[in-house]
Amino acid sequence: MRNQFKSHMMELINGLWFLKRDIVSDEYDQALFRLIADIKDQTVSAGNAHVKIHEYPTGEQCWTWQVPEKWTCHKAYLETLDGQRLIDYTHHPLHVISYSLPFDGIVSRDELLEHLHVHPKHPEAIPFLFKYYDRDWGLCASQVLRDKLDEERYRVVIQTSFEPGTLKVGEVIIPGETDESFMLVAHLCHPAMANDDLTGVVVGLEVARSLMTDLKSYYTYRLLILPETIGSVAYLSHNEDLIPKMVGGLFLEMLGNDSNHALQGSFQVDSQVDRCLVSTLKQLDPESYVAPYRMVINNDERQFNAPGVRVPMLSLSRVLRHNSPNWPYPEYHSSLDTPDIISTSRLEESKNYVLELIQAWENNQYIVNKFKGEIFCSGYGIWIDYRTNPEGHQRLFEIMELCDGEHTVADIATKLDISFQAVWQVISLLLEKSLVYLSRTPQSTTPSRSQNS
Ligand SMILES: [Zn+2]
């Protein structure tokens, strides 16, 4: 049973997925305006939360990149010379390569086949192809159709235009106590596909809604909705002053298909964000897997992790393991990536997990001991009987041993290879008994070290 209950996320996906959301295009803009309008009212009632749309004009320099032109496909088809139409852009936007050059002429079968692309695995599917920077014309079709092309010559018409426009990045800002920011990012581009990555966008927006209403946060949260890669480079290169304040981030993508979660680490594997999110997800979703940077799937997180930026950004997806024959998921980059492969319950689950990851991140502080020596546990009523719960007993002592002002909750979880939640439970107890306090910065209580500092 899919989509058992009505979901706002699913409504948004159904309304937007078939738009031609090429990276700089009118229908990408339409989708972004609709999403921003959808959350704007709520930011007003939430007080200081707000939304922005950043615009970067065609030709604008973004570090080593430039914003491309706006691309529009007005009409495109493939016909036999006696006028039988075989492919028509009005039937599916994937029939034309995104950013294809215009073309109008009669071509031989061989020339056509050089420019007619098919999906390597699914004979029925139209593949998604793009040539943003390496200019060429091209059509896409199913293998089934390609196999039937037995005439000598065909007529190809592709009417596309390239003109100045603006690349747009939507931003939802939810201020916290500090201006140190945690970044949430998802990409809205890709014509007529749903899981990649409208699902990341709608999950990000639902998370933002919850943060606005429920969480009194320490960190500021910024959700970016952008066209893949160039959108991240455009935003970062025009907001360099914000980069030192970005303490970490999570890229959200491909969250609606029927697979377990995959968490990809950042470039800085020992960062607090990596330790915190990895040790938290393991308990949330025991079926999930964690893989190092670039080993699940590559996306916008690369721009944040890159040299000169170095913001530790992980990514959360439902991508299959790299050695799976269906990696990243069977319908990826094809006309089969429709709302039919997305389930409401998967989206809801991902949203809830992201909120739990954020809650852990908020809680992740240094644990400073007010006690010296080993705690007299039975005196404080926190002793765990080693005869009935040997692991709990051992863990309690291992955790208390690391409460020295030099370890965060995530450090302790990582060091002991247990979940963040298990450590947090013990720390909560110690907080209740006033045996420790939390600090955003290290506060070593080791006499020899605190003298040196
Ligand atoms: Zn993609």
Side-chain angles (χ1 to χ4, degrees), residues 128 187 190 196 228 254 332-333:
F128 169 48
H187 73 72
H190 283 24
D196 178 12
E228 188 174 358
M254 305 169 190
Y332 174 71
H333 279 193

mmCIF file of all heavy atoms in Angstrom, residues 128 187 190 196 228 254 332-333, ligand 1:
data_model
loop_
_atom_site.group_PDB
_atom_site.id
_atom_site.type_symbol
_atom_site.label_atom_id
_atom_site.label_comp_id
_atom_site.label_asym_id
_atom_site.label_seq_id
_atom_site.Cartn_x
_atom_site.Cartn_y
_atom_site.Cartn_z
ATOM 1 N N PHE A 128 17.393 10.369 -18.960
ATOM 2 C CA PHE A 128 17.625 11.802 -18.735
ATOM 3 C C PHE A 128 19.075 12.109 -19.100
ATOM 4 O O PHE A 128 19.998 11.546 -18.519
ATOM 5 C CB PHE A 128 17.363 12.146 -17.269
ATOM 6 C CG PHE A 128 17.828 13.532 -16.866
ATOM 7 C CD1 PHE A 128 17.518 14.643 -17.651
ATOM 8 C CD2 PHE A 128 18.557 13.736 -15.702
ATOM 9 C CE1 PHE A 128 17.936 15.927 -17.285
ATOM 10 C CE2 PHE A 128 18.971 15.013 -15.323
ATOM 11 C CZ PHE A 128 18.667 16.104 -16.113
ATOM 12 N N HIS A 187 18.247 19.742 -4.312
ATOM 13 C CA HIS A 187 18.161 20.382 -5.634
ATOM 14 C C HIS A 187 16.817 20.156 -6.307
ATOM 15 O O HIS A 187 16.226 19.099 -6.245
ATOM 16 C CB HIS A 187 19.359 20.038 -6.522
ATOM 17 C CG HIS A 187 19.394 18.648 -7.066
ATOM 18 N ND1 HIS A 187 18.549 18.203 -8.046
ATOM 19 C CD2 HIS A 187 20.207 17.604 -6.791
ATOM 20 C CE1 HIS A 187 18.831 16.966 -8.342
ATOM 21 N NE2 HIS A 187 19.827 16.566 -7.594
ATOM 22 N N HIS A 190 16.033 19.107 -12.741
ATOM 23 C CA HIS A 190 15.726 17.801 -13.351
ATOM 24 C C HIS A 190 14.272 17.838 -13.873
ATOM 25 O O HIS A 190 13.327 17.811 -13.071
ATOM 26 C CB HIS A 190 15.827 16.619 -12.391
ATOM 27 C CG HIS A 190 17.221 16.179 -12.088
ATOM 28 N ND1 HIS A 190 18.318 17.008 -12.207
ATOM 29 C CD2 HIS A 190 17.699 14.971 -11.667
ATOM 30 C CE1 HIS A 190 19.399 16.333 -11.860
ATOM 31 N NE2 HIS A 190 19.064 15.105 -11.529
ATOM 32 N N ASP A 196 14.473 12.078 -7.645
ATOM 33 C CA ASP A 196 15.715 12.860 -7.808
ATOM 34 C C ASP A 196 15.334 14.215 -8.390
ATOM 35 O O ASP A 196 15.152 14.316 -9.609
ATOM 36 C CB ASP A 196 16.666 12.090 -8.729
ATOM 37 C CG ASP A 196 17.960 12.828 -9.014
ATOM 38 O OD1 ASP A 196 18.241 13.824 -8.329
ATOM 39 O OD2 ASP A 196 18.680 12.415 -9.935
ATOM 40 N N GLU A 228 21.253 21.908 -9.227
ATOM 41 C CA GLU A 228 22.403 21.098 -8.821
ATOM 42 C C GLU A 228 23.745 21.726 -9.233
ATOM 43 O O GLU A 228 23.886 22.245 -10.336
ATOM 44 C CB GLU A 228 22.243 19.726 -9.490
ATOM 45 C CG GLU A 228 23.234 18.700 -9.041
ATOM 46 C CD GLU A 228 22.916 17.320 -9.646
ATOM 47 O OE1 GLU A 228 21.913 17.189 -10.363
ATOM 48 O OE2 GLU A 228 23.691 16.403 -9.391
ATOM 49 N N MET A 254 16.747 11.893 -2.909
ATOM 50 C CA MET A 254 16.255 10.544 -3.208
ATOM 51 C C MET A 254 15.746 9.864 -1.939
ATOM 52 O O MET A 254 16.294 8.867 -1.492
ATOM 53 C CB MET A 254 17.377 9.718 -3.848
ATOM 54 C CG MET A 254 17.957 10.394 -5.076
ATOM 55 S SD MET A 254 19.467 9.596 -5.646
ATOM 56 C CE MET A 254 20.042 10.779 -6.857
ATOM 57 N N TYR A 332 16.435 5.583 -11.633
ATOM 58 C CA TYR A 332 17.288 6.780 -11.645
ATOM 59 C C TYR A 332 17.502 7.349 -13.048
ATOM 60 O O TYR A 332 17.760 6.615 -13.993
ATOM 61 C CB TYR A 332 18.633 6.384 -11.029
ATOM 62 C CG TYR A 332 19.710 7.428 -11.070
ATOM 63 C CD1 TYR A 332 19.648 8.558 -10.274
ATOM 64 C CD2 TYR A 332 20.814 7.266 -11.898
ATOM 65 C CE1 TYR A 332 20.663 9.505 -10.299
ATOM 66 C CE2 TYR A 332 21.834 8.211 -11.925
ATOM 67 C CZ TYR A 332 21.741 9.325 -11.130
ATOM 68 O OH TYR A 332 22.748 10.264 -11.160
ATOM 69 N N HIS A 333 17.380 8.664 -13.164
ATOM 70 C CA HIS A 333 17.629 9.399 -14.417
ATOM 71 C C HIS A 333 16.889 8.791 -15.606
ATOM 72 O O HIS A 333 17.482 8.548 -16.663
ATOM 73 C CB HIS A 333 19.130 9.525 -14.706
ATOM 74 C CG HIS A 333 19.770 10.639 -13.923
ATOM 75 N ND1 HIS A 333 21.029 11.126 -14.192
ATOM 76 C CD2 HIS A 333 19.307 11.385 -12.881
ATOM 77 C CE1 HIS A 333 21.312 12.122 -13.343
ATOM 78 N NE2 HIS A 333 20.285 12.288 -12.538
HETATM 79 ZN ZN ZN B 1 20.227 13.534 -10.811
#
